[in-house]
Amino acid sequence: MNLYKLEQDENNGYDTYSHLVVCAETAEDACLIHPEKDEGWKDEWSGWASSPQNVKVKLIGKAAIGLKAGTIVCYSFHAG
């Protein structure tokens, strides 16, 4: 299991996420993780990127034993 840093620069105003650190097996899996898990990619407007194709992914290391795929380790949220 790996740790990935996700970034988006599409939505930069209030009530948006700029970065996430997530656990995933692959970069392709990582970019599918959405910080608003209940809403995900179905909403027209979101505090995250509009689609997985607009997410930048960077491998940053190995996850600790016991962390599950899809876990959001931390995030940067810009409240308004």
Side-chain angles (χ1 to χ4, degrees):
M1 188 70 60
N2 296 309
L3 291 175
Y4 293 93
K5 179 182 177 186
L6 309 181
E7 296 181 66
Q8 67 86 26
D9 56 12
E10 187 176 13
N11 292 311
N12 296 315
Y14 293 115
D15 297 334
T16 61
Y17 300 85
S18 58
H19 302 83
L20 311 173
V21 174
V22 302
C23 295
E25 291 289 341
T26 67
E28 292 79 15
D29 292 340
C31 75
L32 297 175
I33 298 171
H34 196 289
E36 298 166 346
K37 290 181 180 183
D38 293 339
E39 300 303 319
W41 303 103
K42 63 184 176 186
D43 279 352
E44 186 174 310
W45 183 89
S46 171
W48 188 235
S50 62
S51 73
Q53 292 78 21
N54 296 330
V55 176
K56 299 173 191 165
V57 181
K58 180 179 181 179
L59 175 64
I60 59 172
K62 291 288 184 185
I65 294 172
L67 285 176
K68 297 178 182 178
T71 299
I72 297 174
V73 177
C74 66
Y75 58 84
S76 181
F77 181 75
H78 307 277

